[in-house]
Amino acid sequence: MIARMEIGGLLAARRWRRILAALFQILLVVGVFLFITLPLAWLVISSIASPADLLSIPPRWIPWPPDFSNYSHLLFGGEIEGTTLTTVTLRAFRFSLRNSMIVASGVTALCLLFGVLAGYAFARLQMPLGDRLLYLFLLVQMVPVIVLLIPMFLVMSRFGLLDRLEIVILLLTAFHLPFVIWILRSYFLSIPVDLEEAALVDGATRLQMLRHVILPLAVPGLFAAGVYTFMQTWNAFMIPLIFTSSETKRTVTVAIAMFIGRHYTEYGLISAAGVLASLPPALLAIFFQRYLLAGLTAGAVKG
Amino acid sequence: MKTVKRSKVSAVWIGWVILGLLLGACVPAATPTPAVVEKPVEVTRIIEVTPTPPATPTPRFAGVTLTLLDNPEGQTENMIALQKRCEEKTGIRLNVEVVPHGEVRPKLLAALANKLPTYDLFYVDIIDLPQYAAAGYTYPLEGFLTPEMRADILPFAEKGVIYEGKWIALPWKAEWMSFVYNKKMLKDAGYDRPPRTWDELIQMSLDLKKKGIVKYPMVFSWAANYEQVTVDYVMLVKSLGGELFDAQGNPVFNQGAGVQALQLMYDMMHKYEIIDPAALTLRGGGKRRDVMLAGQGAFVFLWGTPLLVMNDPAKSPRAGEFDIALAPAGPGGPYSVAGPMGWAISAYSKNPEAAWEFLRCIAGPEGEKFMFLKEGAPPGWKSVLNDPEVSMKLKQAGGDVMLQQAAFLAMRPALPYYQEWSAAMQKAIQEVLTKQKTPQKALEEVAAYTRELKAKYGR
Amino acid sequence: MEVTIRARTNLHLLMAKSRTLRYRTRLVGLLMITPGLAMIVSLLFYPLFHSLVISLYDLNIRAPWLGPRFVGLWNYLQALSSPDVQAAAGRSLYLAAVGIGLGIPLSMAFALILNRPFPLRGLVRGLLIVPWILPGTVQGLLWSRIYDPHYGALNGVLYQLGIIRDYIPWLLDPQRALLLVALANTWATVPMMTLLYLAGLQSIPEEIYEAAQVDGAGWWARFRHITLPLLMPITLINLILKTIDALTLFDLVYVLTGGGPANATQVIGYYLYDAAFQRLEYGYASALAWLIALTAVGLTVLYSRITRPGEARL
């Protein structure tokens, strides 16, 4: 209050500064926005460019008229002679979005559930081996999956567990859990301990406290960890490839790889497929982002 | 505050689930004809339930299920029809697994390295065949083959299915590279025919360059770790009348035509400047094709049936300008390169007899004839080529040039250590073309490495 | 922050009060990690054990007549002394260095920018995830279309702006190719790092900033003494994230450069794939994989040491 009164006389100057600051902020945001979207714009342009536009020198930045045939092929199918685009390939792409959604959501849910428990334990409780156990966990995740595929395939095959999305979910969870634990532990560490202390003194159990005190405060961290897991899983390639086989179980990464042919790759189609494949997660993220922001502001006001 | 937040968290979860379900439900539902989606499942089910028509009274292998591994390009509508026909004929129920082309190998190895009977039938590229055969992954076909079949195979297809004198696979879609040229550009430069020799090609290219028609007339894609580099080198060695290995399997590419071929690659790029140095960053036949379609090249080698796309007005900005000719010749002949494939039976298949029966139906003369008539896939059997129906169709399709080329097809060496050899070769060629080494020195190094590999893996 | 430290010591005192409580805490901790641990152990123990064992054998499955031969640590020694492996590992570490050196400041700046209110904030933040979710193959093809010597966007832009007079084959020069791969990879990882930082920023209580402002701390002082140290745990996460990513990167390179020109961009992930699936040297590939994992964990320990002062202040 005192500070405000002191600069009261410079109100006009302050207003100017505020406007300038707002403009500067918008400029910075535009910078970030361009960083993200410029390469993506090229992807979108490639997906709607006609064959001639795709090959024009210098590039035609706005392909006109836009050619949506890549999208219609992907969504409505049909075989195109002289390309990899057999009916089988195109049909598989449509299933794949659903499968990836199931797998990514499942892994995210499991990783968050187990990750919250273990992450909290590592952040706050005394563990048998302490941090060394955490590094051991991490070592597991860091062994490149390529050398584990063959023994894992043997096990799954012996138990008759091939070609099931559930197995893909479990395997990916096991692979990504260590790092999710790390992420969540870090966010838990940044939450002040006194809140818990109060709850403990009040006689709450650990789990009750985790649920009612810690989790609400850790929402941004949970969100970040969730996004990380979802994205990693959405992008997983080798495990879905090796452990599923029927076309109704194929995930989107594998389906897109099918457009890379023996000799020819259809850039327009791959671009369109890339755009379509990133739409569902992007929409999810935008939806949650808005929700999260609203929730946080509400919480901050009340807090 | 806490309760508010908790309900928000649960609402987020509900939102997640709803959105997930919506997306999941929407995407496949957007299919206009859901019946099509179910098709393959339905087909097999019908075959299983309804007894086959009297044409085949009692199929020997009724009730047997086989799994076949293929890439997306393989599973065309015609192939699916052929598979269905063979299912009816043999009584075998076929389960087809389709995997991205680049991923067939890891997928196959996951099963074969564990000695699992996951797949009964799989296709093998000629360059992988020795490796798979040496590892014992393939079921020997010697016991099944009839003398007629042995006599019927075409010479170049034979190399794709035989390793160390034993039949490993049945020939399939023996494709090769065709020499494609832009006839309009040549006409503009005053030529009414494509080049017949490499010398002519260089002359014409220099002329095209001088007249400002195209800056880099000859199009190659020689990016790193890209099999095409080896393919083009093998072609040039053969064209120049050389060999890569002598009769005892010792490397001889470090002398004579082997060195000249690499020198020719270098000269075309750096001395005559008729190949764009950017070729060293291009990978994929698609890129080579694009350069042609953009009018930035006059000559190119392409696999398969490239004109289908290149002369299609819907897909090509220069439709109608392209044609196929016999490859330019050197002292050795007008060579191109073949990449034959074969269908093999897994050594760990539980039903090798049934698999053979099915294999014969698909990749035997009858199946190959069907595939040729339907989609022009080159057959590996003499009897198919001599078939009146086939030869008529071949004439109609203007397959004369393609057929002429079939007499001049170079093969890449059949080595159980082919992957290493080819990778070393690609690296050596790149080192020469980026002016780090002379052709002689680079090839000496590959030869030394090859001898090492031979000592380790040769038998 | 002092409050926090005191609170934590209090908690420890509280726990030390009775032994039974301490014992119970341990038990609870153990119970809390059990589900995750059980999952990892049940699914991954056998494959990990298997790969560890075969890393001690000379096992090339395409030459069965040579048979698996026990060679002890030979594979490890061979991998460590191979110039190809050293060069490939060096390139991966270069990718990590570029991704960290460029990515950490950039993503922190992005997070600070996006943390302040502006119109359409949710939309922009949602878009952040798109580069990261593009499948590696699509990323590779996208960048190959950007760097394309004939129809690339980069050439197009620079040419139309008059910066270059001739189209440039960007990936032809070995050093430049590696840098361009690193930049393409950084583009994909910066958004993820930004998201993690954003979440970190959101959990810093506003009161700390307000207090600092009252004390007359300027923008830089606030960033230097509050934001930066409080974000240290997230920085650690980002360091690890980027390092794992660089050490396992494969498909982007595979599609974009194929490791070329002449192996100039052959990273360790690529080399490993080649050893396992092309050359089928499983023993050697397994040894290499464990070396990669150990390197990654070693770097993680190192990072933890470096970032610890920040964590301690919390």
Side-chain angles (χ1 to χ4, degrees):
Chain A
M1 282 303 275
I2 299 161
R4 200 173 281 174
M5 275 160 71
E6 270 176 9
I7 53 164
L10 301 165
L11 209 69
R14 239 191 96 168
R15 212 166 105 197
W16 268 111
R17 270 186 66 179
R18 203 185 279 169
I19 291 170
L20 271 180
L23 276 178
F24 188 57
Q25 163 73 1
I26 287 174
L27 208 69
L28 289 174
V29 170
V30 168
V32 178
F33 182 76
L34 289 180
F35 175 89
I36 303 164
T37 50
L38 279 184
L40 290 177
W42 188 235
L43 187 73
V44 175
I45 290 169
S46 305
S47 73
I48 56 168
S50 65
D53 284 348
L54 212 53
L55 301 174
S56 65
I57 302 170
R60 273 191 81 175
W61 300 107
I62 300 162
W64 201 260
D67 177 1
F68 291 104
S69 61
N70 290 323
Y71 290 94
S72 67
H73 284 313
L74 286 173
L75 294 173
F76 307 115
E79 186 167 329
I80 308 174
E81 238 185 303
T83 70
T84 50
L85 298 164
T86 56
T87 318
V88 175
T89 321
L90 289 166
R91 192 170 50 206
F93 181 75
R94 278 169 274 159
F95 279 111
S96 70
L97 285 171
R98 182 198 60 185
N99 293 337
S100 280
M101 196 53 111
I102 293 173
V103 169
S105 306
V107 176
T108 308
L110 283 178
C111 272
L112 282 184
L113 179 66
F114 297 154
V116 161
L117 290 173
Y120 179 79
F122 278 115
R124 289 287 195 257
L125 304 173
Q126 286 186 316
M127 299 303 295
L129 290 166
D131 281 357
R132 265 160 295 173
L133 188 61
L134 207 54
Y135 286 116
L136 207 63
F137 264 124
L138 211 54
L139 183 67
V140 167
Q141 183 175 0
M142 285 173 175
V143 178
V145 67
I146 287 174
V147 297
L148 305 180
L149 291 173
I150 288 178
M152 271 192 315
F153 187 83
L154 179 67
V155 176
M156 293 307 162
S157 175
R158 283 281 148 80
F159 287 107
L161 295 172
L162 291 175
D163 202 23
R164 290 177 185 212
L165 287 181
E166 303 92 291
I167 289 301
V168 174
I169 291 176
L170 289 180
L171 282 173
L172 286 172
T173 305
F175 266 103
H176 291 299
L177 190 54
F179 201 59
V180 172
I181 294 175
W182 263 81
I183 296 181
L184 289 171
R185 185 187 86 121
S186 300
Y187 286 108
F188 288 144
L189 277 177
S190 69
I191 294 170
V193 184
D194 35 2
L195 289 169
E196 288 164 73
E197 197 188 334
L200 272 186
V201 172
D202 287 349
T205 66
R206 284 275 170 194
L207 276 180
Q208 281 173 329
M209 191 183 62
L210 183 61
R211 225 179 101 197
H212 297 294
V213 181
I214 302 292
L215 280 190
L217 286 173
V219 169
L222 285 177
F223 177 75
V227 171
Y228 167 80
T229 323
F230 193 92
M231 298 309 130
Q232 288 290 63
T233 322
W234 187 270
N235 236 333
F237 182 68
M238 271 297 170
I239 288 184
L241 170 78
I242 299 291
F243 293 96
T244 62
S245 45
S246 54
E247 63 177 271
T248 50
K249 303 276 166 58
R250 205 170 284 148
T251 61
V252 82
T253 38
V254 182
I256 285 183
M258 304 203 35
F259 296 133
I260 297 182
R262 197 176 164 77
H263 304 301
Y264 304 107
T265 298
E266 308 303 319
Y267 289 94
L269 261 153
I270 292 235
S271 302
V275 171
L276 284 180
S278 54
L279 272 181
L283 288 176
L284 265 180
I286 290 168
F287 170 81
F288 280 108
Q289 203 49 251
R290 310 199 100 192
Y291 192 85
L292 189 78
L293 281 176
L296 278 180
T297 349
V301 169
K302 283 184 187 173
Chain B
M1 172 200 145
K2 286 168 202 162
T3 44
V4 171
K5 283 222 157 175
R6 202 150 49 85
S7 69
K8 281 202 191 295
V9 172
S10 48
V12 165
W13 267 108
I14 293 166
W16 185 289
V17 171
I18 291 174
L19 212 71
L21 285 177
L22 272 178
L23 272 161
C26 279
V27 175
T31 326
T33 46
V36 178
V37 174
E38 294 291 326
K39 205 166 87 182
V41 187
E42 289 295 335
V43 166
T44 43
R45 203 178 293 146
I46 288 165
I47 291 157
E48 204 185 23
V49 175
T50 53
T52 32
T56 46
T58 42
R60 206 176 128 206
F61 297 105
V64 174
T65 302
L66 295 177
T67 303
L68 173 146
L69 187 68
D70 202 357
N71 68 18
E73 279 155 299
Q75 290 295 310
T76 57
E77 312 228 325
N78 297 315
M79 180 64 178
I80 292 169
L82 177 62
Q83 283 161 187
K84 196 183 148 196
R85 230 168 75 164
C86 291
E87 278 186 301
E88 280 163 11
K89 198 173 148 195
T90 58
I92 292 165
R93 186 169 170 272
L94 189 70
N95 178 21
V96 180
E97 189 176 326
V98 190
V99 177
H101 176 258
E103 266 38 78
V104 171
R105 197 177 158 87
K107 189 92 200 194
L108 203 52
L109 287 172
L112 295 178
N114 284 316
K115 305 187 193 306
L116 290 168
T118 318
Y119 306 110
D120 300 285
L121 295 160
F122 56 87
Y123 76 86
V124 202
D125 204 289
I126 180 172
I127 58 173
D128 288 329
L129 187 91
Q131 209 182 42
Y132 287 5
Y137 290 159
T138 49
Y139 195 90
L141 302 183
E142 293 291 320
F144 295 131
L145 281 165
T146 60
E148 298 87 69
M149 285 181 109
R150 286 174 196 269
D152 197 20
I153 185 120
L154 281 165
F156 75 88
E158 190 178 350
K159 292 200 178 123
V161 297
I162 291 184
Y163 176 65
E164 291 187 335
K166 294 202 173 66
W167 282 62
I168 306 295
L170 287 191
W172 184 249
K173 285 197 186 174
E175 27 167 37
W176 54 80
M177 287 197 302
S178 299
F179 179 66
V180 180
Y181 67 102
N182 186 316
K183 54 186 174 197
K184 182 168 171 288
M185 281 182 180
L186 288 194
K187 213 170 174 186
D188 292 348
Y191 295 101
D192 54 357
R193 62 168 180 81
R196 284 188 192 131
T197 64
W198 283 99
D199 289 340
E200 245 180 60
L201 180 131
I202 292 170
Q203 275 314 313
M204 281 189 188
S205 295
L206 289 172
D207 208 18
L208 285 167
K209 216 173 143 69
K210 205 170 68 194
K211 287 180 176 149
I213 295 170
V214 55
K215 195 174 172 194
Y216 297 110
M218 186 68 223
V219 180
F220 280 111
S221 57
W222 288 334
N225 290 310
Y226 180 32
E227 181 58 23
Q228 190 65 40
V229 182
T230 314
V231 168
D232 292 338
Y233 174 72
V234 168
M235 172 176 81
L236 286 172
V237 173
K238 193 81 181 164
S239 276
L240 298 182
E243 291 293 336
L244 295 161
F245 291 88
D246 66 13
Q248 284 75 45
N250 297 310
V252 291
F253 48 77
N254 52 338
Q255 42 193 286
V259 182
Q260 287 164 23
L262 187 45
Q263 188 65 46
L264 180 60
M265 289 165 104
Y266 181 91
D267 288 348
M268 285 195 287
M269 184 176 279
H270 296 299
K271 188 174 159 198
Y272 306 118
E273 294 180 337
I274 57 172
I275 300 175
D276 190 347
L280 295 173
T281 67
L282 292 188
R283 56 180 50 247
K287 290 263 183 185
R288 296 202 297 280
R289 193 180 65 191
D290 283 354
V291 174
M292 292 296 283
L293 292 182
Q296 291 192 305
F299 310 110
V300 71
F301 282 91
L302 289 169
W303 291 90
T305 46
L307 294 188
L308 269 182
V309 169
M310 294 177 85
N311 280 339
D312 177 352
K315 291 175 207 134
S316 157
R318 278 164 214 276
E321 290 182 16
F322 303 101
D323 207 350
I324 289 183
L326 199 60
Y335 275 96
S336 172
V337 175
M341 287 189 288
W343 278 106
I345 299 175
S346 160
Y348 311 110
S349 167
K350 282 182 176 156
N351 284 300
E353 282 87 17
W356 166 253
E357 206 57 34
F358 202 85
L359 189 62
R360 210 172 58 167
C361 178
I362 287 208
E366 212 180 313
E368 287 230 300
K369 182 182 160 190
F370 175 83
M371 287 308 278
F372 176 81
L373 291 177
K374 289 288 182 188
E375 44 188 69
W381 305 103
K382 287 176 197 157
S383 60
V384 180
L385 273 191
N386 296 335
D387 186 279
E389 212 180 337
V390 170
S391 46
M392 203 166 80
K393 164 109 180 175
L394 208 66
K395 285 229 171 65
Q396 282 170 357
D400 284 358
V401 182
M402 272 190 95
L403 208 65
Q404 280 172 30
Q405 189 69 67
F408 296 98
L409 291 174
M411 290 286 165
R412 284 161 287 171
L415 307 167
Y417 41 85
Y418 181 84
Q419 309 286 344
E420 282 102 319
W421 179 80
S422 181
M425 191 53 97
Q426 290 157 28
K427 193 178 163 208
I429 293 171
Q430 277 236 330
E431 281 167 346
V432 169
L433 294 178
T434 51
K435 303 184 181 178
Q436 296 175 42
K437 283 182 187 157
T438 62
Q440 186 69 52
K441 182 166 185 290
L443 290 172
E444 289 296 349
E445 284 175 15
V446 180
Y449 180 57
T450 312
R451 281 188 287 268
E452 256 175 62
L453 288 170
K454 194 178 173 230
K456 188 172 178 193
Y457 295 116
R459 276 184 291 186
Chain C
M1 275 172 287
E2 273 172 36
V3 180
T4 331
I5 294 169
R6 225 185 311 128
R8 199 188 245 179
T9 29
N10 278 352
L11 188 70
H12 285 302
L13 283 177
L14 192 79
M15 290 196 293
K17 256 184 204 166
S18 79
R19 272 201 168 160
T20 39
L21 183 64
R22 196 175 186 179
Y23 172 75
R24 266 184 55 194
T25 328
R26 277 198 168 192
L27 197 70
V28 172
L30 217 55
L31 279 176
M32 285 175 97
I33 62 163
T34 305
L37 194 65
M39 181 144 195
I40 293 171
V41 170
S42 64
L43 286 166
L44 300 184
F45 178 78
Y46 173 73
L48 286 166
F49 177 75
H50 179 97
S51 73
L52 202 56
V53 169
I54 63 168
S55 75
L56 303 175
Y57 283 82
D58 182 11
L59 174 67
N60 187 318
I61 56 162
R62 58 124 177 243
W65 63 93
L66 293 177
R69 195 158 47 91
F70 184 79
V71 290
L73 294 175
W74 172 248
N75 285 326
Y76 290 88
L77 294 175
Q78 208 193 351
L80 284 173
S81 61
S82 151
D84 284 349
V85 172
Q86 284 164 5
R91 290 179 204 117
S92 289
L93 292 178
Y94 174 82
L95 285 194
V98 172
I100 287 167
L102 211 64
I104 296 267
L106 210 56
S107 56
M108 204 181 270
F110 282 8
L112 289 170
I113 293 168
L114 298 184
N115 197 37
R116 283 185 287 177
F118 59 87
L120 297 177
R121 189 156 73 156
L123 183 76
V124 175
R125 285 181 172 193
L127 274 179
L128 261 184
I129 64 153
V130 178
W132 184 253
I133 45 161
L134 279 186
T137 30
V138 179
Q139 271 182 43
L141 287 168
L142 168 61
W143 286 99
S144 88
R145 286 259 316 142
I146 289 175
Y147 298 147
D148 193 289
H150 301 107
Y151 330 104
L154 188 59
N155 272 328
V157 170
L158 295 179
Y159 182 80
Q160 286 187 328
L161 291 177
I163 296 172
I164 53 170
R165 287 164 86 221
D166 251 326
Y167 272 29
I168 295 173
W170 294 102
L171 298 169
L172 193 57
D173 178 69
Q175 262 122 39
R176 189 167 56 198
L178 189 58
L179 179 66
L180 290 176
V181 169
L183 292 180
N185 182 232
T186 305
W187 174 74
T189 42
V190 159
M192 187 66 227
M193 289 156 97
T194 306
L195 265 171
L196 290 171
Y197 273 134
L198 263 175
L201 284 176
Q202 284 169 351
S203 53
I204 300 178
E206 197 61 35
E207 294 84 7
I208 302 183
Y209 287 109
E210 281 163 16
Q213 208 156 11
V214 169
D215 289 348
W219 179 86
W220 175 249
R222 272 176 284 155
F223 173 73
R224 175 82 182 68
H225 296 292
I226 302 174
T227 317
L228 206 56
L230 284 178
L231 284 183
M232 265 306 169
I234 315 299
T235 304
L236 174 61
I237 290 288
N238 278 336
L239 286 171
I240 304 173
L241 179 78
K242 184 63 227 183
T243 308
I244 302 181
D245 186 70
L247 286 177
T248 52
L249 184 71
F250 166 66
D251 33 11
L252 175 72
V253 178
Y254 185 73
V255 177
L256 185 55
T257 65
N263 285 7
T265 56
Q266 196 193 51
V267 288
I268 196 76
Y270 194 112
Y271 182 89
L272 179 68
Y273 181 88
D274 216 45
F277 282 136
Q278 293 296 335
R279 291 180 282 156
L280 309 184
E281 288 170 345
Y282 281 148
Y284 179 67
S286 298
L288 188 59
W290 278 94
L291 284 175
I292 293 173
L294 285 173
T295 310
V297 171
L299 285 171
T300 305
V301 174
L302 187 73
Y303 295 151
S304 311
R305 291 270 157 78
I306 296 170
T307 53
R308 183 152 298 160
E311 217 175 319
R313 259 198 246 178
L314 197 81

